[in-house]
Amino acid sequence: MKASGKLAALTLTALLTVTACGGGGDAAPAAQGPQPLRMSIWTSNEAHLKLFNEIAAEYRKSHPQVGEITFDPIPFENYTTTLTTQIAGGNAPDLAWILENSAPDFVGSGALVPLKSKVENAGELVPAATRLWERDGELYAYPFSTSPFGVFVNTDLVKAAGQKTPRELIKAGQWDWEHANEINKAVAAKGKNGLTILNFDYKAWDNLATVWQGWGAKAWSDDGSTCQFNAPEMVEAMTFMHKAIFTDKSMPGPGTAVDFFSGDTAMAVAQISRAAMLEDATFKWDLVPLPAGPKGEYAVIGQAGIGVLKKSPRAEQATDFLAYFTNVANSAKLAAYFPPARSSLLTADTMAKTSPMLNGDQLQEVVIDGIEKGVVKPSHKGQAELAQTARAALDPLWKPDADVKAVLDGVCAKIQPLLGG
Amino acid sequence: MTVTDLGNRVAERAATRPRHFWTIPRRDALVGYLMISPQLAGSALFVLLPLGLVVYYSLQEWNVLAGTFEFVGGDNYAKLLADPNMGQVLTSTAFFSVGLVVLNLTLALTLAILLDQRLRGTTFFRTLFFSPVLVSLVAWTIVWQFLLQQDGGVNGLLGVAGVDGPNWLRGETTALLSVVVVQVVKNVGLNMVLFLAALQGVPRQLYEAAQLDGAGAWTRFLRITVPLISPTILLTSIITVVGSLQVFAQIAVLTQGGPGMSTTVLVYYLYQQAFQFRHLGYGATLSVLLFLIVAALTLLQWRLRRRWVFHES
């Protein structure tokens, strides 16, 4: 071999050695000293993080073998994508907060550690809250937050527009979408924003379940095999929304950034965890249930579970910490922001002790009653691709001259193949 | 001793003397290899190895959540050929790239010519047009997202002029145009500086001679400026074409591929498939396609340089 050839071979060997040494991302760490744990979460709210860190610090006092426990916030918009990328890149957290729309994928793939025998008083978990997280009778993620959507109301803006407040309408038995729309029209006419659905932004269409459920509409059939976007109920619901956006201007149009918490918006459909953002609010606010639709009163639930990833080299410690984090005592503390799935805690009195931002009426109407009668936002296997495909097909709806029925027919034509029906 | 004998003895000594391995040429070669070895190692580790891995992954079905790997051969390539979205994706990619390259190079050259004049204030304008290159890409794009809102700054300015502006990021044509313009304004300064340097290298006496011969401004531009800065035109066009095919952050922040799929260019579609939909094998296949397109276009431009790039040598 020529000298240059030898040199090249030597370089390549050195490179391969370096590469080989750099591999093994999944290798177990040296089991010496306290082992750290990392949990991915979507919230970066200071009040939430403070509570999480307090519980973790308490746990470490009795578990010296566990090192620092970090809560790793990932922005909500790209939460699942970022989490998946971390897993693919060999940087998976030990525990992960999992949103309801990706529950079928995480639970069905076998990526999570079974938890049922580890959870304290697992028998008291409300069946409606555990359904998404179970497979073959085993629980794969703790239903950490079972949170019905409600409507946050800026009562100052509503009154300034000369309208009855939603609370007054509830007492008069008139709290429905038509009356809500009248309030929002009046507020919009005064130059402020009417009603916004948080996180929808004309992309996350599954949040529209908080509206269409009032018409009895569904994205797909209960067995997940048939598209129902073009069913008459959905067409009616979407026609109502389209009119509210483009004719009544009672909902902000596409391409408009709206923030309820800054005080320029009359109403926002959101979950109670957002109440923490109203701590320093400069306006009077209220939380009321979703308005009734033509099919009567209803509730929609957003859920999040916490699971332990099988890939974690510290899965056993992570499972033990999760059991502590979600035991009865800590669930009661966490209930301040994240409605618990434990029947013993699901009373307005109990929750009021830990939710200083919300009063008994609000907790009873929105949370307790909501969990009882609510349906979970749509979720399906392969939800990310379904969501993106439906988003692209729904885009033509968000124009003033859209043919609602034709657009919804188009949505079904696009997503039916993905539903597998 | 004759001269011939002396010559023979020198030759014998040379023949019997032990030959050293480290001759001067070999030592030079070793030094040369050592000099380039960090770059070689970097290229192998961060270019060749990932390239090989991407090809390898394109032959697999990788279930990230389950942690399983399955060899599927050419299935992902068959899926690519049958993908009903590819037509729309490639069309959007072509429109986006052509629009961006034409607009960027034209504007950059125009600005460079204007700022090459010996006028007061050119330094200020050079700094002004170059400054967006230094701004964080995501911050820049977020600011533009606000400006392009229905009731944002752009429509506010149009309103002053009595024009009712469109909902820029919600119309299929305007969304693509918006992303192109945001990208051009961000990076045009870089090409402008390269063109400016090239223009300042053109000998002024050529212009004076041409002017004496009666050549007008347009003729001087076509016959003197363009040929003499053609190597820079080649460089900027290669950089801009390759860059246009890799624009991601602007689309992710401004439109997320919408409305519909109007701004879903190949690199964004690749991201969706690999990371959002968790089809990592198919995402790798799309990466191979993107690599082939970039390589083919670069090679084509390199080949065409013989026809239109002027070299003094």
Side-chain angles (χ1 to χ4, degrees):
Chain A
M1 189 186 282
K2 289 181 176 178
S4 57
K6 281 182 185 170
L7 191 69
L10 203 67
T11 308
L12 190 64
T13 311
L15 273 174
L16 290 174
T17 310
V18 169
T19 312
C21 291
D26 289 339
Q32 288 174 349
Q35 296 297 298
L37 291 175
R38 179 164 66 97
M39 184 197 293
S40 65
I41 54 176
W42 71 263
T43 176
S44 53
N45 183 285
E46 281 182 24
H48 300 174
L49 289 172
K50 183 169 175 280
L51 180 54
F52 293 173
N53 284 317
E54 281 171 7
I55 295 174
E58 198 64 34
Y59 176 75
R60 286 182 63 196
K61 283 181 190 167
S62 54
H63 294 76
Q65 75 278 20
V66 174
E68 191 181 2
I69 300 173
T70 51
F71 298 93
D72 186 13
I74 298 172
F76 185 83
E77 292 73 26
N78 297 309
Y79 181 80
T80 305
T81 303
T82 309
L83 174 62
T84 311
T85 308
Q86 288 184 350
I87 296 170
N91 183 33
D94 303 292
L95 305 103
W97 187 318
I98 299 161
L99 304 178
E100 78 279 291
N101 55 18
S102 53
D105 288 333
F106 273 86
V107 174
S109 67
L112 304 172
V113 171
L115 298 173
K116 201 162 196 170
S117 61
K118 308 285 183 187
V119 172
E120 187 180 83
N121 289 359
E124 70 161 330
L125 296 177
V126 178
T130 57
R131 190 179 60 82
L132 261 182
W133 313 99
E134 285 180 327
R135 193 180 57 158
D136 302 330
E138 180 54 83
L139 184 71
Y140 285 94
Y142 180 88
F144 175 70
S145 175
T146 301
S147 187
F149 283 85
V151 179
F152 284 96
V153 182
N154 182 329
T155 46
D156 285 350
L157 276 187
V158 173
K159 285 178 180 171
Q163 297 291 306
K164 282 184 184 172
T165 63
R167 183 67 54 195
E168 289 166 338
L169 289 174
I170 289 172
K171 283 179 184 159
Q174 293 179 321
W175 179 232
D176 55 30
W177 276 108
E178 290 302 331
H179 281 88
N181 196 46
E182 290 305 315
I183 297 174
N184 294 314
K185 261 167 73 176
V187 173
K190 293 266 182 189
K192 301 288 183 180
N193 297 302
L195 177 139
T196 183
I197 299 172
L198 290 188
N199 297 327
F200 164 48
D201 194 26
Y202 296 84
K203 296 183 184 86
W205 53 264
D206 55 342
N207 284 318
L208 296 184
T210 56
V211 178
W212 77 49
Q213 196 68 36
W215 276 256
K218 294 174 184 173
W220 39 74
S221 56
D222 290 338
D223 65 359
S225 66
T226 311
C227 175
Q228 295 201 337
F229 264 96
N230 55 357
E233 298 86 357
M234 184 66 90
V235 175
E236 273 184 51
M238 290 298 203
T239 303
F240 169 82
M241 267 204 69
H242 190 270
K243 180 172 168 285
I245 296 162
F246 295 104
T247 309
D248 302 337
K249 316 278 187 194
S250 55
M251 288 179 70
T256 310
V258 171
D259 175 28
F260 174 81
F261 302 97
S262 65
D264 286 339
T265 305
M267 299 183 201
V269 174
Q271 291 158 295
I272 68 161
S273 54
R274 303 294 179 121
M277 296 175 76
L278 288 163
E279 206 162 13
D280 301 320
T282 54
F283 54 89
K284 286 196 180 113
W285 60 273
D286 194 359
L287 175 67
V288 295
L290 293 171
K295 291 283 167 73
E297 292 181 0
Y298 66 102
V300 176
I301 297 170
Q303 262 204 322
I306 298 179
V308 175
L309 289 160
K310 269 187 189 165
K311 278 198 161 203
S312 164
R314 298 167 287 269
E316 203 175 322
Q317 293 101 310
T319 307
D320 192 60
F321 172 64
L322 179 57
Y324 179 83
F325 191 70
T326 60
N327 66 21
V328 179
N330 287 326
S331 290
K333 293 178 192 168
L334 292 162
Y337 308 107
F338 308 102
R342 295 181 177 279
S343 53
S344 64
L345 300 174
L346 275 175
T347 65
D349 286 345
T350 312
M351 289 189 69
K353 286 178 193 158
T354 52
S355 304
M357 301 283 294
L358 302 169
N359 63 42
D361 283 351
Q362 292 167 335
L363 289 165
Q364 182 65 47
E365 290 167 345
V366 179
V367 183
I368 315 290
D369 296 349
I371 291 176
E372 199 174 294
K373 66 184 175 205
V375 294
V376 180
K377 280 195 326 178
S379 65
H380 198 283
K381 194 177 172 199
Q383 176 82 10
E385 190 168 8
L386 253 175
Q388 178 61 27
T389 307
R391 195 276 301 154
L394 265 176
D395 273 338
L397 186 62
W398 314 125
K399 291 177 181 171
D401 56 350
D403 179 338
V404 177
K405 176 72 168 73
V407 172
L408 296 176
D409 281 339
V411 174
C412 276
K414 287 283 186 187
I415 70 167
Q416 187 56 51
L418 298 173
L419 295 174
Chain B
M1 187 183 289
T2 64
V3 173
T4 311
D5 289 340
L6 185 63
N8 286 341
R9 286 182 65 178
V10 170
E12 274 172 28
R13 271 190 198 170
T16 54
R17 195 189 307 155
R19 291 180 64 190
H20 291 291
F21 179 78
W22 287 113
T23 59
I24 290 173
R26 279 180 171 155
R27 268 184 289 181
D28 287 350
L30 176 67
V31 170
Y33 281 123
L34 285 175
M35 292 285 191
I36 62 168
S37 59
Q39 177 66 27
L40 268 180
S43 298
L45 260 180
F46 300 114
V47 179
L48 297 179
L49 186 67
L51 262 177
L53 281 174
V54 164
V55 175
Y56 171 72
Y57 290 142
S58 74
L59 304 173
Q60 313 283 330
E61 191 55 66
W62 179 7
N63 186 333
V64 178
L65 298 183
T68 57
F69 240 70
E70 185 191 350
F71 179 76
V72 293
D75 284 7
N76 284 324
Y77 290 90
K79 184 178 172 182
L80 174 66
L81 294 174
D83 189 338
N85 293 325
M86 278 315 291
Q88 166 80 60
V89 170
L90 291 177
T91 306
S92 297
T93 308
F95 274 116
F96 180 78
S97 294
V98 170
L100 197 144
V101 170
V102 170
L103 205 58
N104 188 324
L105 294 186
T106 309
L107 191 60
L109 186 54
T110 307
L111 286 172
I113 290 168
L114 291 174
L115 296 178
D116 192 35
Q117 311 303 313
R118 293 193 177 91
L119 298 171
R120 288 181 73 182
T122 50
T123 310
F124 168 75
F125 286 109
R126 285 175 194 174
T127 311
L128 183 71
F129 294 130
F130 186 74
S131 56
V133 176
L134 307 173
V135 176
S136 151
L137 178 59
V138 174
W140 172 265
T141 312
I142 288 173
V143 168
W144 273 96
Q145 189 181 26
F146 281 100
L147 291 175
L148 290 166
Q149 283 187 131
Q150 175 83 65
D151 53 354
V154 173
N155 281 349
L157 279 178
L158 289 173
V160 171
V163 178
D164 194 10
N167 196 348
W168 294 97
L169 298 174
R170 299 298 307 181
E172 297 200 346
T173 312
T174 54
L176 192 64
L177 183 69
S178 301
V179 181
V180 169
V181 169
V182 169
Q183 171 69 359
V184 167
V185 179
K186 170 85 175 73
N187 276 346
V188 73
L190 192 62
N191 282 345
M192 180 197 77
V193 167
L194 294 172
F195 279 132
L196 205 50
L199 287 171
Q200 289 173 351
V202 178
R204 298 285 152 181
Q205 60 268 35
L206 291 180
Y207 291 120
E208 289 162 10
Q211 208 163 6
L212 287 175
D213 287 345
W218 183 242
T219 307
R220 291 200 301 276
F221 173 73
L222 282 183
R223 299 297 174 89
I224 297 173
T225 308
V226 171
L228 288 179
I229 67 166
S230 55
T232 306
I233 296 177
L234 174 72
L235 171 74
T236 50
S237 63
I238 289 178
I239 291 173
T240 312
V241 167
V242 172
S244 75
L245 288 164
Q246 295 172 349
V247 166
F248 172 80
Q250 293 88 329
I251 289 168
V253 173
L254 286 177
T255 63
Q256 295 179 11
M261 290 189 69
S262 59
T263 56
T264 306
V265 296
L266 186 54
V267 72
Y268 192 74
Y269 189 58
L270 182 167
Y271 158 78
Q272 285 185 322
Q273 290 288 340
F275 299 106
Q276 288 190 322
F277 307 162
R278 296 190 287 277
H279 299 156
L280 280 137
Y282 188 50
T285 310
L286 291 166
S287 299
V288 172
L289 175 67
L290 179 62
F291 172 75
L292 292 176
I293 291 173
V294 170
L297 285 176
T298 308
L299 195 66
L300 181 71
Q301 285 171 297
W302 191 247
R303 292 265 177 192
L304 285 176
R305 86 190 191 283
R306 289 178 190 154
R307 294 196 182 173
W308 61 273
V309 175
F310 173 81
H311 293 282
E312 282 182 281
S313 58

